[in-house]
């Protein structure tokens, strides 16, 4: 006997057609007399019952996921012998092994400071090696992860100064869990942040090639523009951010573990 | 039977009176007006039962709700015996590991240290200060001065030195009184003992450097020189990372270079500052130890390079364009020229650093104390205002919660 697939769960009224057809026929004929369109809608759409228990179960599961979500201290814990993350079982990339042993995470530095280092300057060793101009974050808000034993994980917000240019607003600091951070001592802050913007050679605008110049002048004559100035080509480059400019942390989704 | 009792009573009386006589002779550096706690005792505080607060906090932690900073400040305020200090320590630890850890108030920290000093638990205060990461104790300069002075009074210079190292880690050398007290403690300890491990040398170097940068006199300049010399020694013997890792120091190489720059600046500046012979001798000794056993040490270093440190040193040396080791002969020459110039200009102070510091302390400390006391009184008022605001906010929140609860109950009974 061919059993129906389990996807299809026979409802009490699925075979009601057999059981109650003697009762249903007058009703059907009444409906059929209504019109062909009505018959089509009753055939296409079944009445959807509100599944309350499933909704309740969904909400309970969401609440439990929220309550038992892995905290930063679990997500970003690192075994320093094998350089693997116990949470995801993944190993750090080879270029990060030396840094993970030598440098510290941001909150590891901030846990030793009063008020978690509000208002202090922090830099990254990769910025120090890559750029000559000062790049640093000035901290405005710190939220440590209280489940960590040494309070050395968490989130921080601050104002970025990258290659001497300061941003206008504070935002969340990216790569807080990377072993890359250094704290600028207070007596060296002035010397570290001092930046004189170098003379940028603005390339002067140059005249167009002859054919293009002729085309532009013809266009001008056609549109009735009688200005006699020479059309000039602007040679300024489009400023693109360097590859290690910190991205918007808020734009990234909730941490579901690490990529590495 | 009466005679032994009388003898025992006499012995006890003798035991009681002798310590008073001994302690009457010992004095700390700070004046009595600074150290006494009349103003602190006279502040208005709420009298709460500690057991109630403890049970409230335990219940809140069990329900995984955050404990407010007001509760922990009330607990620490109402400590009245030595055992309760241990309980307060436990609750401070729990508060630090709760969601509100950032909000631990200044007055709570100040009160905690004062209570520890009052009930004779200085070692506990020092323990919580050293493990500041776990307890969240970050005192301000007034509290640091009180703690250091209590150790100086008992002539426990080892613990006073630990306090100075903690101030250095927090970079809290803002007030001149703290700078003077810490320099006094540092020079006292340096006089007694001369051989240190490299970590102690590094800590001494940083703790001499930071207040030395703030003091604009010969003691300050000599402290800078001394600090840079010690740090340069650690840099050349153990690598630059050993100097700046977990310390409030910059990662740029060349600490000996900076020491020599201090000397050259003093030699060429028209002001009155002098450098102590002691500090110059220390720098001289450091340069000699680094230069002369270079042949013997290079074999040791090549052995060490085959150990773990090899790869790290290699990474550092790749960064630095010219390794410091090769600059040592130049440093020696510069030192000799600067020293002769200083002696020619009569800028070398022959008194020892400890006597100079004691002199400076006697001259300048009363003025600094007056400033500190005025600032402390203002701070006490500010703390009182903040406390009243917090209490008001808590009362309003409780009323609001009660009203909501009643509204909900009424809605439930109506429905």
């Amino acid at each position: 006997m061919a059993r129906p697939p389990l996807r299809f769960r026979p409802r009490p009224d699925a075979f009601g057609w057999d059981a109650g057809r003697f009762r249903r026929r007058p009703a059907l004929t009444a409906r059929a007399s209504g019109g062909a369109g009505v018959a089509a809608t009753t055939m296409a759409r079944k009445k959807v019952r509100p599944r309350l228990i499933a909704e309740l179960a969904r909400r309970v599961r969401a609440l439990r996921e929220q309550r038992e979500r892995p905290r930063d201290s679990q997500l970003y814990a690192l075994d320093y012998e094998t350089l693997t993350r116990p949470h995801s079982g993944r190993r750090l990339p080879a270029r990060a092994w030396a840094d993970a042993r030598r440098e510290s995470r941001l909150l590891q530095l901030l846990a030793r400071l009063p008020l978690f280092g509000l208002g202090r300057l922090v830099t990254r060793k990769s910025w120090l090696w890559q750029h000559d101009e000062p790049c640093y974050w000035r901290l405005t808000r710190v939220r440590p992860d209280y489940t960590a034993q040494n309070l050395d994980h968490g989130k921080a917000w601050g104002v970025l100064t990258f290659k001497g240019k300061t941003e206008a607003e504070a935002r969340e600091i990216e790569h807080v869990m990377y072993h890359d951070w250094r704290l600028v001592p207070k007596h060296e802050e002035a010397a570290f942040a001092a930046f004189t913007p170098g003379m940028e050679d603005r390339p002067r605008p140059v005249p167009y090639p002859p054919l293009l110049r002729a085309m532009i002048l013809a266009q001008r004559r056609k549109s009735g523009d009688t200005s006699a100035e020479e059309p000039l080509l602007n040679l300024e480059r489009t400023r693109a951010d360097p590859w290690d400019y910190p991205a918007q942390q808020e734009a990234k989704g909730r941490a579901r573990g690490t990529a590495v | 039977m009466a005679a032994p009792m009388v003898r025992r009573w006499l012995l006890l009386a003798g035991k009681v009176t002798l310590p008073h006589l001994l302690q009457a002779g010992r004095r700390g550096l700070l004046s009595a007006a600074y150290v006494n706690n009349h103003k602190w005792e006279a502040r208005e505080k709420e009298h709460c039962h500690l057991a109630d607060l403890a049970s409230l906090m335990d219940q809140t932690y069990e329900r995984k709700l955050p404990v407010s900073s007001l509760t922990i400040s009330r607990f620490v305020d109402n400590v009245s015996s030595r055992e309760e200090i241990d309980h307060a320590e436990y609750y401070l630890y729990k508060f630090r590991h709760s969601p509100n850890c950032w909000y631990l108030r200044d007055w709570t920290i100040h009160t905690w240290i004062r209570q520890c000093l009052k009930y004779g638990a200085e070692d506990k205060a020092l323990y919580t200060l050293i493990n500041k990461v776990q307890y969240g104790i970050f005192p301000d300069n007034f509290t640091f001065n009180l703690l250091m002075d209590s150790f100086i009074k008992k002539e426990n210079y080892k613990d006073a030195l630990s306090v100075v190292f903690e101030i250095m880690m927090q970079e809290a050398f803002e007030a001149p009184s703290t700078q003077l007290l810490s320099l006094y403690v540092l020079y006292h300890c340096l006089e007694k003992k001369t051989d240190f491990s490299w970590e102690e040398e590094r800590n001494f170097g940083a703790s001499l450097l930071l207040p030395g940068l703030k003091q604009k006199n010969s003691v300050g300049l000599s402290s800078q020189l001394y600090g840079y010399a010690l740090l340069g020694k650690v840099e050349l013997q153990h690598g630059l990372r050993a100097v700046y890792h977990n310390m409030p120091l910059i990662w740029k190489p060349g600490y000996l270079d900076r020491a020599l720059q201090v000397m050259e600046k003093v030699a060429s500046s028209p002001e009155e500052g002098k450098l102590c012979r002691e500090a110059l001798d220390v720098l001289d000794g450091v340069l000699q130890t680094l230069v002369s056993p270079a042949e013997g040490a290079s074999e040791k270093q090549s052995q060490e390079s085959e150990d773990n440190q090899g790869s790290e040193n290699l990474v550092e040396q790749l960064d630095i364009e010219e390794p410091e080791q090769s600059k040592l002969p130049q440093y020696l020459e510069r030192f000799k020229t600067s020293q002769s110039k200083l002696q020619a200009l009569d800028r070398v102070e022959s008194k020892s650093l400890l006597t100079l510091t004691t002199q400076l302390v006697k001259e300048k400390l009363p003025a600094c104390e007056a400033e500190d006391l005025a600032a402390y009184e203002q701070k006490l008022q500010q703390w009182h205002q903040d406390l009243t605001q917090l209490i008001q906010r808590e009362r309003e929140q409780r009323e609001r919660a009660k009203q909501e609860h009643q509204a909900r109950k009424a809605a439930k009974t109506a429905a």
Side-chain angles (χ1 to χ4, degrees):
Chain A
M1 185 174 85
R3 286 182 65 198
L6 285 172
R7 266 199 323 273
F8 169 64
R9 287 232 247 94
R11 296 241 157 62
D13 62 337
F15 303 112
W17 171 245
D18 294 320
R21 69 178 168 183
F22 297 106
R23 266 176 271 144
R24 288 241 180 131
R25 216 187 262 153
L28 253 183
T29 47
R31 264 194 238 143
S33 63
V38 177
T41 49
T42 47
M43 283 282 288
R45 226 158 184 208
K46 249 195 190 166
K47 194 169 66 171
V48 174
R49 266 198 202 168
R51 299 169 64 203
L52 297 168
I53 299 180
E55 183 63 35
L56 180 67
R58 208 175 300 136
R59 285 199 199 152
V60 165
R61 256 183 259 128
L63 185 67
R64 282 208 189 132
E65 197 189 311
Q66 167 70 12
R67 281 217 187 125
E68 291 158 21
R69 68 191 187 278
R71 308 293 163 133
D72 281 353
S73 53
Q74 292 164 293
L75 280 177
Y76 304 126
L78 183 64
D79 173 18
Y80 288 95
E81 305 298 319
T82 52
L83 291 173
T84 43
R85 301 247 189 230
H87 181 79
S88 57
R90 290 186 170 143
R91 201 164 185 203
L92 289 185
R95 289 190 207 185
W97 292 347
D99 279 350
R101 289 201 177 102
R102 287 159 58 100
E103 310 285 338
S104 340
R105 273 165 283 165
L106 181 58
L107 271 267
Q108 263 179 334
L109 299 173
L110 300 185
R112 286 194 292 265
L113 301 174
L115 285 180
F116 285 96
L118 266 198
R120 299 289 302 263
L121 303 186
V122 284
T123 348
R124 294 184 63 173
K125 176 224 104 201
S126 45
W127 291 346
L128 289 172
W129 283 16
Q130 180 90 6
H131 305 289
D132 286 329
E133 302 92 343
C135 316
Y136 52 87
W137 287 96
R138 188 182 291 274
L139 297 165
T140 50
R141 188 180 147 207
V142 180
R143 198 183 73 192
D145 177 23
Y146 58 91
T147 53
Q149 175 61 25
N150 298 329
L151 292 178
D152 52 4
H153 291 92
K155 293 192 185 174
W157 287 257
V159 180
L160 173 66
T161 303
F162 197 77
K163 297 228 270 189
K165 295 207 191 81
T166 315
E167 286 190 0
E169 280 191 354
R171 56 187 172 99
E172 193 174 341
I173 297 181
E174 212 199 10
H175 297 160
V176 165
M177 71 296 290
Y178 280 32
H179 288 79
D180 200 25
W181 293 92
R182 291 205 188 159
L183 180 70
V184 180
K186 268 194 209 164
H187 62 273
E188 296 278 347
E189 270 182 12
F192 183 78
F195 173 66
T196 45
M199 287 301 300
E200 293 170 6
D201 310 315
R202 284 265 168 87
R204 280 168 43 208
V206 287
Y208 275 96
L211 179 60
L212 274 176
R213 183 172 168 273
M215 284 164 67
I216 291 171
L217 290 174
Q219 183 75 27
R220 275 192 194 166
R221 212 179 304 134
K222 199 160 130 189
S223 57
D225 186 10
T226 50
S227 56
E229 59 180 270
E230 179 76 23
L232 291 172
L233 181 59
N234 193 358
L235 287 177
E236 256 183 85
R237 278 182 289 180
T238 48
R239 307 269 161 183
D241 285 333
W243 66 272
D244 54 353
Y245 196 90
Q248 288 278 346
Q249 183 77 359
E250 285 95 352
K252 298 185 185 170
R254 201 160 50 89
R256 258 171 252 282
T258 43
V260 285
Chain B
M1 201 186 99
M5 295 263 307
V6 166
R7 208 184 307 143
R8 211 183 297 153
W9 178 82
L10 276 173
L11 273 171
L12 280 170
K15 261 197 217 150
V16 164
T17 47
L18 269 176
H20 279 297
L21 285 173
L22 277 175
Q23 271 173 23
R26 289 191 201 166
R27 279 182 63 243
L29 290 180
L30 295 170
S31 66
Y34 200 96
V35 175
N36 75 11
N37 41 11
H38 293 322
K39 285 195 206 96
W40 178 68
E41 298 281 358
R43 78 190 189 288
E44 302 169 18
K45 61 180 184 185
E46 299 172 86
H47 288 277
C48 309
H49 202 48
L50 275 183
D52 293 339
L53 284 172
S55 57
L56 170 69
M57 283 204 270
D58 286 333
Q59 278 172 15
T60 330
Y61 281 126
E62 255 172 71
R63 277 190 232 152
K64 304 222 178 131
L65 294 169
V67 171
S68 76
S69 54
L70 191 55
T71 324
I72 188 80
S73 79
R74 277 179 189 149
F75 194 98
V76 176
D77 269 347
N78 286 297
V79 161
S80 54
S81 69
R82 179 74 177 81
E83 293 82 28
E84 286 169 13
I85 287 197
D86 293 327
H87 303 157
E89 184 197 356
Y90 168 72
Y91 283 112
L92 277 172
Y93 181 89
K94 285 217 81 166
F95 187 78
R96 177 77 169 167
H97 292 261
S98 74
N100 279 347
C101 51
W102 190 86
Y103 294 98
L104 188 65
R105 305 277 164 179
D106 299 340
W107 67 79
T108 317
I109 300 173
H110 180 72
T111 318
W112 162 251
I113 303 277
R114 283 265 202 192
Q115 300 276 29
C116 285
L117 293 177
K118 188 167 151 188
Y119 294 105
E122 287 98 4
D123 50 338
K124 186 113 299 194
L126 189 64
Y127 178 76
T128 52
L129 189 60
I130 291 178
N131 297 350
K132 53 194 184 292
V133 173
Q134 304 296 337
Y135 292 99
I137 307 286
F138 297 102
D140 56 352
N141 63 305
F142 192 85
T143 327
F144 268 130
N145 289 350
L146 288 175
L147 192 57
M148 259 201 297
D149 198 53
S150 74
F151 285 128
I152 293 175
K153 217 178 281 197
K154 299 211 170 98
E155 300 210 353
N156 187 354
Y157 285 99
K158 188 162 158 296
D159 286 344
L161 192 65
S162 323
V163 176
V164 173
F165 288 162
E166 287 309 312
I167 307 180
M168 179 265 295
M169 293 288 196
Q170 285 184 31
E171 298 179 76
F173 285 115
E174 299 302 332
S177 47
T178 323
Q179 294 160 20
L180 292 170
L181 280 177
S182 4
L183 285 173
Y184 175 80
V185 169
L186 286 165
Y187 287 128
H188 208 276
C189 293
L190 278 170
E191 277 221 341
K192 274 195 208 165
K193 203 169 106 159
T194 36
D195 57 329
F196 300 107
S197 67
W198 68 270
E199 289 105 344
E200 283 178 338
E201 273 186 4
R202 177 195 68 179
N203 288 345
F204 265 111
S207 328
L208 282 167
L209 176 64
L210 294 185
L213 285 169
K214 304 261 166 63
Q215 289 277 325
K216 309 273 177 239
N217 46 34
S218 44
V219 169
L221 292 165
S222 316
S223 312
Q224 284 182 40
L225 185 65
Y226 206 137
Y228 277 134
L230 288 175
L231 291 170
K233 185 173 170 198
V234 175
E235 181 191 347
L236 278 165
Q237 284 181 340
H238 298 270
L240 186 59
R241 182 178 178 266
V243 174
Y244 69 74
H245 187 62
N246 289 351
M247 295 284 281
L249 294 169
I250 197 78
W251 42 81
K252 301 207 174 97
Y255 279 94
L256 287 174
D257 186 39
R258 284 176 216 140
L260 291 167
Q261 276 174 14
V262 166
M263 277 175 74
E264 282 154 15
K265 202 170 71 157
V266 169
S268 58
S269 81
E271 289 156 10
E272 285 297 314
K274 293 187 178 182
L275 285 177
C276 277
R277 188 181 300 281
E278 220 178 297
L280 290 168
D281 290 340
V282 160
L283 182 53
D284 196 18
V286 159
L287 285 168
Q288 298 298 333
T289 38
L290 290 170
V291 165
S292 42
E295 295 83 36
S298 62
E299 289 160 19
K300 224 196 319 172
Q301 273 173 22
S302 60
Q303 276 173 19
E304 275 182 12
S305 68
E306 280 149 35
D307 298 344
N308 327 356
Q309 294 176 2
S311 54
E312 293 178 12
N313 280 344
L314 202 63
V315 171
E316 286 278 19
Q317 279 161 20
L318 285 173
D319 297 341
I320 305 165
E321 281 120 20
E322 241 191 83
E324 291 293 313
Q325 203 72 27
S326 61
K327 291 195 202 158
L328 276 174
Q330 298 172 20
Y331 288 158
L332 263 178
E333 278 179 43
R334 272 171 73 183
F335 174 73
K336 288 200 179 92
T337 39
S338 305
Q339 196 181 29
S340 48
K341 215 166 152 189
L342 284 169
Q343 274 171 347
L345 289 171
D346 192 27
R347 294 290 188 92
V348 181
E349 183 70 62
S350 49
K351 283 191 239 173
S352 87
L353 276 166
L354 186 58
T355 38
L356 271 180
T357 321
T358 332
Q359 223 176 17
L360 194 67
V361 160
K362 264 192 221 134
E363 283 166 29
K364 296 248 176 102
L365 199 57
C368 305
E369 277 184 18
E371 281 174 29
D372 275 356
L373 277 170
Y376 178 60
E377 278 179 44
Q378 273 197 348
K379 231 192 278 184
L380 276 179
Q381 285 173 7
Q382 178 68 34
W383 287 346
H384 183 66
Q385 276 179 16
D386 290 342
L387 187 62
T388 38
Q389 267 183 6
L390 276 180
I391 296 174
Q392 178 132 12
R393 210 176 64 181
E394 192 197 39
R395 215 179 296 149
E396 282 168 16
Q397 272 181 349
R398 269 210 198 127
E399 281 180 20
R400 221 181 299 147
K402 218 189 292 178
Q403 281 171 8
E404 277 176 21
H405 185 67
Q406 278 173 358
R408 231 180 291 143
K409 231 188 345 186
K412 230 188 238 179
T413 46

